[in-house]
Every structure is written in C-alpha cells, then in structure tokens.
Amino acid sequence: MSEHVADRMKTCLADALWGCLVTRALTGLSVGDVIEVAGVSRGSFYYHFSDLDHLVSWALARELLDSDREGHSFLELAAGEETPEENPAVTRSLERVCLLLGRGGMSAVYEVALDAVLRLWEAALCPDGGPLPDEVVAQLEYAVGGLVGMLARASVSTDAKRRVSIAFLHERHLWLVARVSEVLGREPRDVMALLGRARTRDAVTG
C-alpha cells in the first residue's frame, strides 16, 4: 500500500473517531463504532492501528504536530507572530483537543503533548543528542500540565472563548521560554532562535 493511500485511510479513520466523540465518551467507543462511521472493514483498521488507543494517539498527534497538514504544530501556530485566532487549522485542532479532553482523553492529550514538546526542545537544546537538563524537563512538564488542565476546563463554543484559549497558549509559550532561559542562564531571544532553528530542521527532514 502506498504512503499516500495509507495516509488517506488513517485520515478517514481519524475523522470517524472525531465524529464519534461528538456524541459519546472515549470509554464508550469501540473499534466497531469507528469502522461503522468510516465505512471500512475491521481488517483495514487493524492494518494501520493495533487498537483504539493507537488510533487516538495518532489522530491527536496529527492535530498537535501537523495542524495545517504542512508540518506546522498546533502550539507553533498558536504561539506564532500571526493571528492564530483567524487560522482555521488552529481552530479545528483546538476544538478537537478540547473535545477529546471533554470525552475522557486527558491522559492521552498530556502524553502526546508532552512527547511533542520534549522532542522539540531536545532538538533545540541538544541537537547532537543527549538528554535535556532535569530542570528544563521539570519546566516542560509543568507547562504542559498547566496547558492541558486549562484546556480541559475550556469551552471553545464561541469565538470569544476560543480567542481566550489561544491567548493563553501564546502567553504560556512565552512564559515557558522565559523559565527555561533562566535555568540555562541565556537570553529568551536566544532560546527562541534555537527553537526556530529546530522547527526549520524538522520541517526540512520530516
């Protein structure tokens, strides 16, 4: 199966998952529910995903790491210099993350978001390999925990509430850069530059 065909099937299953979550809790979902909405066979599902948790992780990672389907992460777009509240990719991803949180998927959101953040900061601060300093990891864990907690209580049913959520994401990103800069004894602008280069390398090699 070609990569393009595989991606289309995964996308179909992910879209079916998001559709199911509109009306029911994650704990109440089954593979059968998803394939019924997607209109595919059980064999097609298991060709791509080992179980429902695997699909949830993939679908969520896609929203967080490839929101615009051009390799840009949800957090990167929301924390950027543009006006993310006008970006439909940010809107869709924010709504889906909040939907999953509201349907009982907090642990999945935390794990996938933390993994994405750790990988980005490792690429920025440790490009030649090696672990992040424990103090930096602690700051990242704290920031992601706060972000997930805030979004778990957020409602994005109105434009005003969505803008508040995105503004929080932006502020949280700047706060995190400031805290990590303090730990490293560097200027925030230098840390921002490292993050920017890490994103560029990931876009080129990813």
Side-chain angles (χ1 to χ4, degrees), residues 13-30 33-34 37 52 55-56 59-60 95-105 109:
L13 289 166
D15 287 342
L17 169 70
W18 295 121
C20 288
L21 287 172
V22 171
T23 57
R24 65 194 87 175
L26 182 60
T27 54
L29 280 184
S30 67
D33 295 326
V34 173
V37 172
L52 190 63
L55 170 60
V56 170
L60 178 59
E95 289 175 345
R96 285 180 169 180
V97 170
C98 288
L99 175 63
L100 183 56
L101 286 167
R103 298 305 187 195
V109 174

Side-chain angles (χ1 to χ4, degrees), residues 2 30 34 40 62 71 81-82 93 95 98 105 113 128 135 137 154 173 175 177 180 195:
S2 71
S30 67
V34 173
V40 303
R62 193 180 199 207
E81 297 299 325
E82 300 177 2
S93 291
E95 289 175 345
C98 288
D128 298 322
E135 298 90 339
V137 173
H173 175 72
W175 178 92
V177 169
V180 172
L195 286 171

Side-chain angles (χ1 to χ4, degrees), residues 114-162:
L114 181 59
D115 179 67
V117 169
L118 287 173
R119 285 193 283 114
L120 173 62
W121 282 83
E122 284 171 355
L125 302 181
C126 310
D128 298 322
L132 288 166
D134 290 341
E135 298 90 339
V136 172
V137 173
Q139 293 292 343
L140 296 175
E141 290 173 340
Y142 179 76
V144 171
L147 173 62
V148 172
M150 179 269 176
L151 291 178
R153 295 186 298 273
S155 169
V156 292
S157 58
T158 67
D159 288 343
K161 290 179 179 179
R162 180 165 47 81

